[in-house]
Amino acid sequence: MISFDDPSWIVIPIILPLAAGLLCFLTRRWAFAFSLAASLGNLLASGILLKQLLSVGPLSYNVGNWKAPLGIALRIDGPAILMLLMTAVTGLGITLYARGYFSFRISGQKKIGRHERQERFFWPLWMTLWASLNGLFLSADLFNLYVTLELISIPAVALAALSGKPASQIAAFRYLLVSLLGSLSYLLGVVFIYRTYGVLDLALLGSKTASGAGIGAALALMSVGLLLKTALFPMHFWLPPAHANALAPVSAILSALVVKASFYLLFRLWFDVFASTITEPALNLLGTLGGVAIVWGALQAIRQQRLKLLVAYSTVSQLGYLFIAFPLAYLEKGADIWAAVIFMALAHSCAKSAMFMAAGTIFLHAGHDRINDLAGVRSYLPVTVFAYAIAGVNIMGLPPSGGFIAKWLLISSSLNSSQWWWGLIVMAGSLLASVYVFRVVSRFFVIPEGYHVPDRQPHSPLLEWPALVLALVALLLGLIAPYPLHILETGSSLFAMVSQKGLLL
Amino acid sequence: MTARSTQNKRKRFDPVLLLVLLLIVFLTGLLVQVILATDYLGSGLGDDVARFQDLSGVESPVTAVLLNFRGYDTLLEVMVLLMAVVGVWSLTRAPFPKKPIEPGPIQLAVVRLLAPLMVLFSFYLVWQGSHLAGGAFQGGAVLGGACVLMLVSELPWLKNISSRFLRIGLLSGPLVFLGVAILCIVLQGTLLDYPQEWVGTLLLLIETACAVSIGLTLACLFAGGRPKDDLSGGRKR
Amino acid sequence: MITNMLYSLGGLLLFIMGLFALIACSHPLRKILAVNVMATGVFLILIATAYKQAGAGEIDPVPHAMVLTGIVVSVSVTALALILACRVQETSNRSLSQQRKNDFTGAGE
């Protein structure tokens, strides 16, 4: 029954974490075992899907055997499989780290308290969030995408509020309202699309679209909703408090994965489905907002006094690079429009989760995350500090990291399409990033005179090593750069192919 | 603090608010134009649904769409409900009053009369969902109403319901749905591709389980927190 | 046809009113209600679409299913938002009263 060519592997990344989430809620004792099994199974399934994709090209799967306009289709092409792999690798790292994090906190206390509550509810929420992320990457149906967006935002909000501090709850409430507004705006766009065309399948829409008032308004509504969720510059206000006040594994999840999901959907809608509707001013507007986000986020990060807030503002800044790709991709048509964006997303996902994990470990040991008082951390947390520094190399975009490749692709395509100003912003952003990275790293490494090394508290290796491994993955991404590019080339132009074959019943 | 400052501003006629109002009026104009302009170009999916109605195993078109043609949406949506409960449970404990309040005799009589009737009616709604309007959500809503009725009359045994029992009830819908979905992969090779001879029975099974968990979900959301024994098990006692 | 259009426009109006209230009101409860009004507006437009798509006689069941899904999502999100707002209120009240007590007794702990 189980063969590697079976088309049903495509649903495994969705139903496996979903089942794990249900079981984690049912029994608390085996929660970590279920989650770990789901993480490993998910990695395996993603690998098999990659193999299938490379041998037969883009995959398509009709849920319930009902074909496209009536049923819901799942599709995998190059970008989708890379996002899936990114989630699988980062998610595995976060799962392991969360285990170390919670057992460290629980071991330090006497009676049943908030740490046990946090661990109890973390696992089901995280597993379901993971399932819905995978569902979003695979789905090819506008309304199903709305449901996955909601199934992302509810666990994400609950996770953000999990720490129980008033600050985190206020931030989570704001996050909930913003993501609700985003979802409703997206849904209204979907309604307009359905009024106009009467179909919801992305490939069918892609073959039909012509520009018109209805489509323009629908795309605008959906885009505004997704931009709110992605926290592009003027709409970023909710992100830093929500990400910085959450528990460390949760911050890693939110910053590395959740914001990428809505961005991925936005990019897909603009360049795969509604490519004929988009106009140059709209692209330039998004590019400009992205550029402002890069500079503004970096300046704010430099100003911060707390480590986690610094890392959160760095996310605002890094998200800007993804939007600079919009005006560049429009003029550089072809297979590589996804390349820079996907590289940026992959590298940022690994590096940012590593950074938040390192920040969380430092917080656990030092009891605070005030940057000015963190001198000498390396004397008792050498691995963590090393991981933070490597992740910083990615964020700055130094070779041979994945971040470097992404920025290099952005700059070269900005020169090729004679839009040099975008390249300038990318470089300025890298310089600013090096300021906020070095500001922290230099503090970590310098041991002041008369420094008394505190006793090293015992902790499991899970608290330190996942961060380092993820940071190294991000670093090595630059060395294996041709391989992801190859995957992207194999899997591109999915929608042209599918609509040629004809999907009608 | 921000609340107070905006209130003060509003009394002094806030220019920002006026700007927002203007923008919104502008947006309204745009959207009204769009609504008037989008006059139906496509035919919708109504014809397709009617064409495959016989294969779906139910006679009601809405139920057929919900559970068969777009059953995957509904599977995820049942998970949304469950996640809301998990989220609420993670936030706080259910705020039951310390001392039990004696409900009045009329209230008790009404609850005793209504609650069983509502439970009965909810299952009737689930059953008739296969051919008329109705189904898991409508039935679940009525079931939830029955539970809320019992909750507001502060029946003393309610706050001692064990967490394990509640969790099993809450999970019954998602677990049965997911189990059937996986069973379909094993039997038919495709997710949610129900075997033709069992389709009606399977859909009724899913609907019943979902109605139970939707009813319980609504009641748990109303209760507003986790049961008091939820974290007392486990390794530290 | 005209009635149908009226429903669509009414839904749009609800959406817009909710949006304005969401921005203008500062009380958490009002914000939650505003989001609910917005959601209702979207559902109304969807229902109007269902009638229109199939023309005379038959209705299109797909928007109905979508609205049912949407309502369930909106109920669960509203519940979560309400509990979260209550928690925020409780914790901020507690810290406020703690602060007052400290102010009253003098030096705190």
Side-chain angles (χ1 to χ4, degrees):
Chain A
M1 188 195 81
I2 301 172
S3 80
F4 289 135
D5 305 328
D6 197 295
S8 284
W9 279 101
I10 195 170
V11 298
I12 301 295
I14 300 167
I15 58 176
L16 201 59
L18 215 54
L22 293 178
L23 294 175
C24 288
F25 184 52
L26 192 64
T27 70
R28 163 156 143 249
R29 197 163 302 164
W30 300 98
F32 174 66
F34 286 133
S35 307
L36 189 64
S39 313
L40 292 172
N42 191 24
L43 195 62
L44 174 74
S46 308
I48 288 169
L49 286 170
L50 175 63
K51 192 167 153 281
Q52 289 185 8
L53 180 86
L54 286 177
S55 59
V56 297
L59 311 167
S60 171
Y61 184 86
N62 296 316
V63 178
N65 236 346
W66 298 107
K67 284 186 186 146
L70 187 60
I72 298 170
L74 303 177
R75 305 239 163 80
I76 289 195
D77 56 358
I81 191 74
L82 286 176
M83 297 303 272
L84 209 61
L85 281 168
M86 170 195 102
T87 317
V89 172
T90 318
L92 181 61
I94 291 172
T95 303
L96 293 173
Y97 175 75
R99 170 68 171 182
Y101 183 84
F102 286 119
S103 46
F104 180 81
R105 294 188 73 174
I106 290 173
S107 67
Q109 57 157 1
K110 294 284 184 291
K111 62 180 192 343
I112 299 160
R114 63 194 162 108
H115 303 313
E116 298 222 324
R117 172 185 66 81
Q118 288 163 359
E119 190 190 17
R120 159 111 182 67
F121 292 106
F122 173 82
W123 294 113
L125 290 168
W126 160 223
M127 281 296 125
T128 313
L129 176 62
W130 194 345
S132 49
L133 284 170
N134 286 343
L136 184 134
F137 296 138
L138 298 183
S139 177
D141 182 280
L142 275 182
F143 188 73
N144 184 248
L145 283 165
Y146 164 74
V147 181
T148 56
L149 276 176
E150 288 288 15
L151 192 54
I152 288 172
S153 62
I154 291 185
V157 167
L159 283 171
L162 201 58
S163 84
K165 286 182 299 185
S168 80
Q169 287 177 344
I170 292 170
F173 183 67
R174 200 186 295 172
Y175 179 28
L176 178 60
L177 286 179
V178 166
S179 68
L180 262 180
L181 182 60
S183 307
L184 283 174
S185 178
Y186 175 84
L187 184 62
L188 189 60
V190 174
V191 172
F192 281 169
I193 296 278
Y194 190 76
R195 276 174 80 92
T196 315
Y197 289 127
V199 287
L200 295 164
D201 186 73
L202 292 185
L204 289 179
L205 280 171
S207 63
K208 278 187 179 187
T209 33
S211 52
I215 300 305
L219 185 60
L221 282 169
M222 289 196 278
S223 306
V224 169
L226 293 172
L227 287 177
L228 266 169
K229 285 171 177 273
T230 317
L232 180 62
F233 165 64
M235 294 166 264
H236 71 280
F237 55 92
W238 57 269
L239 187 145
H243 287 195
N245 287 311
L247 301 173
V250 175
S251 308
I253 294 168
L254 295 179
S255 234
L257 301 174
V258 172
V259 286
K260 302 291 181 336
S262 46
F263 173 79
Y264 166 84
L265 179 54
L266 185 74
F267 203 78
R268 167 134 285 178
L269 288 180
W270 278 53
F271 289 100
D272 271 353
V273 185
F274 298 105
S276 56
T277 314
I278 52 176
T279 56
E280 211 176 329
L283 290 163
N284 280 328
L285 175 68
L286 281 194
T288 313
L289 291 180
V292 179
I294 293 176
V295 176
W296 173 257
L299 289 176
Q300 287 294 319
I302 292 170
R303 281 186 54 224
Q304 294 309 314
Q305 297 303 313
R306 283 183 48 210
L307 184 57
K308 285 187 81 177
L309 266 174
L310 182 147
V311 184
Y313 270 107
S314 146
T315 299
V316 173
S317 169
Q318 297 287 311
L319 286 171
Y321 291 105
L322 297 173
F323 286 96
I324 278 205
F326 275 74
L328 296 177
Y330 184 62
L331 292 177
E332 281 244 330
K333 287 227 160 64
D336 56 14
I337 54 170
W338 280 95
V341 165
I342 289 288
F343 252 100
M344 196 69 217
L346 295 179
H348 178 250
S349 165
C350 295
K352 191 48 64 78
S353 52
M355 262 184 158
F356 264 122
M357 288 176 194
T361 308
I362 290 167
F363 191 99
L364 281 187
H365 283 85
H368 65 85
D369 65 345
R370 292 184 300 275
I371 296 167
N372 289 338
D373 301 342
L374 282 178
V377 175
R378 85 162 162 92
S379 61
Y380 56 99
L381 288 173
V383 180
T384 298
V385 169
F386 187 52
Y388 190 92
I390 302 271
V393 166
N394 263 286
I395 298 291
M396 287 185 279
L398 299 183
S401 65
F404 167 72
I405 300 287
K407 284 176 186 168
W408 184 72
L409 285 170
L410 282 176
I411 292 175
S412 74
S413 70
S414 83
L415 293 179
N416 284 344
S417 59
S418 56
Q419 291 173 300
W420 49 268
W421 49 91
W422 300 124
L424 268 188
I425 295 179
V426 171
M427 289 189 239
S430 298
L431 272 181
L432 288 171
S434 62
V435 174
Y436 65 71
V437 169
F438 278 126
R439 181 174 155 233
V440 173
V441 173
S442 62
R443 187 76 60 175
F444 285 164
F445 278 97
V446 174
I447 297 186
E449 269 178 60
Y451 178 72
H452 168 68
V453 179
D455 293 334
R456 192 186 143 95
Q457 287 160 282
H459 63 260
S460 85
L462 288 179
L463 209 50
E464 292 204 277
W465 288 92
L468 183 62
V469 171
L470 279 177
L472 287 175
V473 166
L475 193 71
L476 290 179
L477 210 58
L479 298 180
I480 56 160
Y483 190 61
L485 290 178
H486 171 62
I487 298 173
L488 276 177
E489 272 170 28
T490 323
S492 67
S493 72
L494 157 71
F495 288 109
M497 188 207 77
V498 175
S499 50
Q500 270 168 15
K501 270 191 194 165
L503 286 166
L504 291 166
L505 293 163
Chain B
M1 202 196 293
T2 48
R4 198 175 302 152
S5 62
T6 36
Q7 262 172 11
N8 287 346
K9 263 188 215 157
R10 205 184 305 164
K11 274 174 207 150
R12 275 188 280 114
F13 186 72
D14 187 0
V16 178
L17 212 61
L18 189 72
L19 190 72
V20 170
L21 192 65
L22 278 178
L23 274 177
I24 286 206
V25 168
F26 177 67
L27 184 69
T28 317
L30 269 180
L31 289 181
V32 164
Q33 256 192 338
V34 170
I35 289 238
L36 293 177
T38 52
D39 244 0
Y40 65 124
L41 298 170
S43 60
L45 299 175
D47 301 342
D48 283 338
V49 175
R51 196 140 52 100
F52 292 97
Q53 185 75 59
D54 296 341
L55 294 177
S56 71
V58 285
E59 285 164 42
S60 156
V62 177
T63 311
V65 172
L66 267 180
L67 285 174
N68 204 333
F69 304 138
R70 299 182 68 89
Y72 174 55
D73 270 351
T74 312
L75 173 62
L76 292 184
E77 178 202 350
V78 174
M79 290 302 296
V80 169
L81 268 172
L82 181 71
M83 279 305 111
V85 176
V86 178
V88 166
W89 281 22
S90 77
L91 280 170
T92 178
R93 239 172 234 187
F96 282 114
K98 291 261 163 49
K99 280 184 196 162
I101 303 165
E102 222 26 69
I106 297 174
Q107 195 182 4
L108 263 184
V110 168
V111 171
R112 277 187 190 138
L113 196 65
L114 268 184
L117 269 181
M118 285 171 82
V119 172
L120 206 62
F121 183 62
S122 70
F123 283 104
Y124 168 70
L125 274 179
V126 172
W127 175 74
Q128 85 149 15
S130 65
H131 46 101
L132 287 169
F137 295 110
Q138 290 86 338
V142 175
L143 192 61
C147 296
V148 168
L149 203 60
M150 290 193 271
L151 275 172
V152 289
S153 50
E154 311 270 1
L155 298 179
W157 52 271
L158 275 174
K159 61 177 171 182
N160 294 326
I161 291 181
S162 81
S163 151
R164 180 178 301 263
F165 171 77
L166 267 182
R167 271 179 289 156
I168 290 172
L170 286 170
L171 284 170
S172 64
L175 273 181
V176 167
F177 208 151
L178 196 65
V180 170
I182 293 170
L183 191 73
C184 289
I185 299 186
V186 176
L187 293 179
Q188 303 282 100
T190 309
L191 187 75
L192 285 172
D193 181 8
Y194 308 107
Q196 200 54 47
E197 57 269 39
W198 295 102
V199 57
T201 323
L202 283 178
L203 291 191
L204 193 63
L205 176 71
I206 293 174
E207 288 218 81
T208 315
C210 283
V212 170
S213 59
I214 290 169
L216 273 178
T217 303
L218 293 176
C220 285
L221 292 178
F222 183 84
R226 60 178 178 273
K228 66 180 178 187
D229 67 331
D230 190 58
L231 280 173
S232 57
R235 60 212 151 102
K236 284 185 190 173
R237 185 125 206 148
Chain C
M1 203 63 221
I2 279 287
T3 359
N4 185 21
M5 197 51 92
L6 277 180
Y7 278 118
S8 299
L9 291 179
L12 190 64
L13 210 63
L14 282 178
F15 183 84
I16 294 288
M17 277 161 51
L19 181 61
F20 180 70
L22 181 64
I23 298 170
C25 296
S26 52
H27 195 277
L29 188 60
R30 288 191 187 185
K31 280 189 187 285
I32 295 170
L33 286 177
V35 172
N36 263 301
V37 170
M38 284 176 76
T40 313
V42 178
F43 300 151
L44 198 57
I45 303 177
L46 250 178
I47 288 288
T49 312
Y51 176 71
K52 200 170 146 186
Q53 290 285 348
E58 297 235 344
I59 52 135
D60 182 356
V62 175
H64 284 255
M66 279 157 68
V67 168
L68 263 180
T69 308
I71 288 175
V72 171
V73 168
S74 136
V75 165
S76 33
V77 173
T78 307
L80 184 62
L82 282 171
I83 306 281
L84 197 52
C86 286
R87 278 301 286 174
V88 169
Q89 202 75 21
E90 262 170 46
T91 40
S92 61
N93 277 353
R94 199 182 306 146
S95 63
L96 204 67
S97 64
Q98 192 70 42
Q99 202 180 346
R100 284 220 188 100
K101 207 189 287 170
N102 290 350
D103 288 349
F104 189 70
T105 49
E109 319 288 293

